[in-house]
Amino acid sequence: MKLPGIADVAQTERTSKSTGLHSAPPVKMAIRNASKSYDTRSGAVHALADVSLDVREGEFLCILGPSGCGKTTLLWSMAGLHALSSGSITLGNQQITRPNPEIAMIFQDANLLPWRNLAKNIELPFELKRKPPDRERIAKLLDRVGLAGFENKFPRELSGGMQQRASIVRSLSVDPSVLLMDEPFGALDAFTRDEMNLLIQEIWMETKKTIAFVTHSISEAIFLADRVAVMSARPGRIAEIYDIDIPRPRSIDIQTEPDFIKRVLDIKSRIEHGRGARVAIT
Amino acid sequence: MDKVLGDKIPEFNKKQGGGGNVGLSGASFSLGDHRSKFEILVIILVAVVIIGGTELALLVMKVPQYVLPRPSLIVTALFTEWNFLWPHILITLYELLVGFTIGASIGFVLAAVITQFPFVEKIVTPYILLLVTTPMLALVPLLILRFGFGSEPRIIAVALASGPMVMINSATGFRRVDLAKIALARSFGASTLQIFTKIRIPMAMPMIIVGLMVGSIFGLLTTIGAEMVGGAEGLGNRLTYYSALIRMPQFFAIILILAVMGISIYVFFFWLGKKWASWEA
Ligand SMILES: Nc1ncnc2c1ncn2[C@@H]1O[C@H](COP(=O)(O)OP(=O)(O)OP(=O)(O)O)[C@@H](O)[C@H]1O
Ligand SMILES: [Mg+2]
């Protein structure tokens, strides 16, 4: 079962790409010297410091970092939801200063509107754009994520995983080319989380969307990503970028393989080393 | 034994869910639940026993009519006086409806606007609290001096009594902003107006309905009170009239009408709450 409007190229192309050596695909979003501080009563909070990062066309980029390092801040800036203090974010040759129809955001808890049933929740983006909902596409998407038949249920009647699947459908229904995901599965139990990780991998392979996925789970990042960008603690900056050339589709089992565990430990020690240095200085 | 218990517990749970709706706590009788025939029978039986018992007790103890008339006399009075009372009912309803509509509209708009500007809210809130806590009835003699004995002073009093109630409750609702939900709407390109109609209002709806309910009950109290203070029409005025003549069955017939009005208001907003705000269980 394939998603509507999808070419079948994805898989082979990606496995060959991930063996490296080929020139990198074109840049989809470019973040240049992005800094942001929040003004609060107790003074300015410096959340992002001079972040530069490329999100490549069609890649699965994971942004990994400790709590409070500015991941959400970065993602909101990429979504055009708030302005940077300095620096720039571009999509193609457009400057991102406001929400862009090409970019859809998926929030931590599914962020469904509790007063609307599933169907009405998913039609929200169309309603806001004053367009008739693309019912056919929505039905296919719902079927794809296993939510067909739940259209009349309210969010409180759905499990956490189902709610998050609904929110993914809501974002995909308007066919954006970039998906920004902010710890979407952070609140789910381990089993549901594995299930959702597999689903999002499948969806990505089928749709060729560009995905920037924030998480603070190292193994989730490695499992999903083409590249993992590790952020340092506040003020957030990009500390390191790792290429993850594990062939796809990846199964949950790979997480127990020595190569996978080695990658986890690598990143972990890099993060802890960074922390240790900070502690030593301060 | 176990089976009986097992049958009882879900019943109990179901009722809890129905009664605790919309945060209308305190008002604890449940409506709209699916009652079994047995329950209906018991409810009717209890009512019959209470009313019949009162009738009998008053009859046996020879309580004089001017102290407490028998239920049968009250109902009789309701029918015999109906043609005289009917215009007054309409006047009371008219004053309540117009006053409440004006007050509630102003209160709602004020709440929606003011909560967007925390600074303005700080300045305005003390005056709203003053309006909430001051019994508007006290102003009625003053309003009568200025506007005469017609409906206007009462309508103004009702608006002043219900408006602030709608306002403070709605404001509480509008203040419960969920930034993630607003960000969600914005990420899909929502305008400020769309954020207001599609996110802020539905989010505030449970509190808005509570405000409307409390406001309209306050409005009813104020209408009756204002009619008792001055003027020559309305149910409040009839209350003073009949009590002055010590015509207690008629007096209590009006009390009965007022009770029905109050309960109707409650039931209406309870139903509205179920319809528009049941998501917040
Ligand atoms: N609206 C705001 N006003 C003031 N400070 C803020 C605001 N939003 C975030 N911050 C601060 O900026 C820093 C970065 O926050 P951000 O939410 O981007 O971190 P995060 O990496 O997403 O954290 P988490 O993993 O906990 O979600 C934190 O120290 C936070 O307290
Ligand atoms: Mg965050």
Side-chain angles (χ1 to χ4, degrees):
Chain A
M1 207 184 323
K2 290 278 177 178
L3 288 174
I6 300 156
D8 286 358
V9 276
Q11 191 173 332
T12 46
E13 192 184 87
R14 267 183 231 284
T15 33
S16 74
K17 182 194 77 189
S18 57
T19 55
L21 298 182
H22 298 280
S23 59
V27 171
K28 183 80 181 179
M29 289 187 84
I31 302 158
R32 291 287 170 270
N33 309 104
S35 297
K36 172 142 184 100
S37 41
Y38 293 103
D39 292 321
T40 64
R41 281 199 193 148
S42 50
V45 175
H46 204 179
L48 281 184
D50 204 26
V51 170
S52 291
L53 181 66
D54 285 339
V55 187
R56 296 175 190 159
E57 179 100 48
E59 83 169 326
F60 204 127
L61 174 73
C62 281
I63 299 169
L64 178 67
S67 190
C69 74
K71 304 181 296 293
T72 298
T73 305
L74 177 62
L75 223 55
W76 276 47
S77 303
M78 291 169 74
L81 287 170
H82 62 196
L84 290 169
S85 305
S86 67
S88 74
I89 295 176
T90 51
L91 171 77
N93 48 19
Q94 295 173 68
Q95 195 88 16
I96 297 293
T97 51
R98 67 176 68 171
N100 186 302
E102 282 298 302
I103 302 172
M105 179 100 176
I106 291 174
F107 295 81
Q108 168 146 13
D109 56 348
N111 209 5
L112 300 174
L113 305 180
W115 54 87
R116 286 170 174 249
N117 66 18
L118 193 75
K120 289 274 171 213
N121 259 294
I122 290 167
E123 286 169 14
L124 178 75
F126 294 92
E127 221 175 290
L128 293 172
K129 295 187 167 92
R130 298 202 173 77
K131 276 193 222 153
D134 186 344
R135 291 246 157 74
E136 199 184 328
R137 182 179 169 81
I138 290 172
K140 277 187 188 152
L141 285 166
L142 281 175
D143 194 45
R144 176 66 186 82
V145 303
L147 280 178
F150 289 91
E151 289 84 350
N152 293 322
K153 294 271 185 246
F154 281 81
R156 63 166 184 277
E157 300 171 291
L158 303 172
S159 70
M162 290 165 100
Q163 291 191 23
Q164 198 51 274
R165 279 182 266 165
S167 105
I168 291 169
V169 170
R170 177 174 59 190
S171 295
L172 289 175
S173 69
V174 287
D175 203 13
S177 57
V178 180
L179 276 184
L180 305 177
M181 308 180 78
D182 190 1
E183 292 183 41
F185 312 138
L188 303 177
D189 63 84
F191 299 109
T192 315
R193 193 169 182 156
D194 283 347
E195 210 178 280
M196 296 301 291
N197 281 337
L198 283 174
L199 178 69
I200 202 70
Q201 171 179 252
E202 284 165 18
I203 287 177
W204 171 75
M205 288 172 73
E206 289 166 23
T207 57
K208 300 193 300 177
K209 304 283 180 210
T210 304
I211 297 183
F213 186 106
V214 160
T215 176
H216 50 216
S217 156
I218 299 174
S219 57
E220 183 174 62
I222 297 173
F223 177 78
L224 288 173
D226 290 330
R227 294 192 304 147
V228 176
V230 177
M231 284 177 79
S232 63
R234 213 181 78 206
R237 53 181 95 234
I238 304 295
E240 190 91 58
I241 295 180
Y242 294 85
D243 282 306
I244 310 296
D245 51 6
I246 304 172
R248 294 183 191 268
R250 302 171 185 166
S251 78
I252 291 297
D253 300 336
I254 65 160
Q255 303 195 21
T256 54
E257 283 170 16
D259 171 63
F260 191 94
I261 293 168
K262 189 181 159 296
R263 287 173 198 268
V264 172
L265 294 177
D266 254 18
I267 296 181
K268 202 170 153 99
S269 73
R270 175 68 182 81
I271 292 172
E272 267 156 19
H273 178 74
R275 264 206 202 133
R278 273 176 60 82
V279 172
I281 294 161
T282 49
Chain B
M1 188 66 203
D2 265 351
K3 192 177 180 305
V4 175
L5 250 178
D7 284 341
K8 283 282 180 282
I9 290 165
E11 276 285 297
F12 175 71
N13 285 341
K14 193 180 74 188
K15 271 209 153 162
Q16 289 263 308
N21 191 34
V22 209
L24 306 170
S25 45
S28 57
F29 78 89
S30 57
L31 280 162
D33 277 348
H34 219 71
R35 292 210 180 88
S36 70
K37 273 186 185 147
F38 174 75
E39 273 178 283
I40 294 173
L41 204 72
V42 171
I43 288 167
I44 293 175
L45 213 71
V46 169
V48 167
V49 166
I50 288 178
I51 295 169
T54 315
E55 178 88 27
L56 214 68
L58 294 177
L59 205 66
V60 170
M61 294 176 355
K62 297 201 168 60
V63 179
Q65 224 189 69
Y66 60 84
V67 176
L68 195 62
R70 279 179 279 129
S72 60
L73 293 177
I74 296 173
V75 174
T76 313
L78 186 63
F79 282 106
T80 54
E81 297 291 302
W82 184 255
N83 283 336
F84 299 103
L85 290 178
W86 181 236
H88 296 283
I89 295 176
L90 286 184
I91 285 170
T92 298
L93 283 179
Y94 163 77
E95 289 165 354
L96 174 61
L97 210 68
V98 174
F100 175 71
T101 306
I102 295 172
S105 311
I106 295 175
F108 174 79
V109 171
L110 222 57
V113 173
I114 271 174
T115 45
Q116 303 302 302
F117 307 99
F119 180 64
V120 179
E121 195 180 347
K122 275 199 192 101
I123 298 174
V124 174
T125 305
Y127 300 98
I128 301 298
L129 283 179
L130 202 70
L131 283 177
V132 168
T133 48
T134 312
M136 283 307 134
L137 275 179
L139 292 184
V140 171
L142 196 77
L143 290 168
I144 288 176
L145 278 182
R146 171 72 183 76
F147 295 99
F149 285 93
S151 284
E152 290 91 345
R154 286 172 248 149
I155 288 174
I156 294 171
V158 172
L160 283 173
S162 54
M165 285 293 166
V166 175
M167 143 109 207
I168 50 165
N169 282 292
S170 305
T172 308
F174 283 122
R175 240 178 269 124
R176 297 191 311 186
V177 280
D178 184 339
L179 288 179
K181 299 225 167 9
I182 291 172
L184 168 82
R186 285 216 296 128
S187 79
F188 289 120
S191 64
T192 312
L193 182 69
Q194 282 178 322
I195 288 171
F196 187 71
T197 56
K198 308 240 181 244
I199 307 287
R200 286 186 194 275
I201 290 191
M203 194 119 205
M205 194 49 86
M207 285 311 292
I208 293 172
I209 291 175
V210 169
L212 291 175
M213 178 190 280
V214 177
S216 54
I217 298 282
F218 262 67
L220 179 64
L221 300 184
T222 309
T223 317
I224 304 306
E227 286 167 349
M228 291 175 84
V229 172
E233 17 168 56
L235 290 175
N237 171 266
R238 289 296 95 179
L239 279 178
T240 27
Y241 172 80
Y242 287 125
S243 68
L245 298 178
I246 325 187
R247 290 174 64 185
M248 284 305 143
Q250 288 79 359
F251 180 89
F252 276 97
I254 294 172
I255 300 282
L256 197 64
I257 296 172
L258 293 177
V260 169
M261 280 186 182
I263 290 172
S264 307
I265 290 173
Y266 175 84
V267 170
F268 173 72
F269 285 110
F270 189 93
W271 169 82
L272 211 64
K274 267 219 140 110
K275 205 165 164 279
W276 295 110
S278 61
W279 55 272
E280 197 187 60

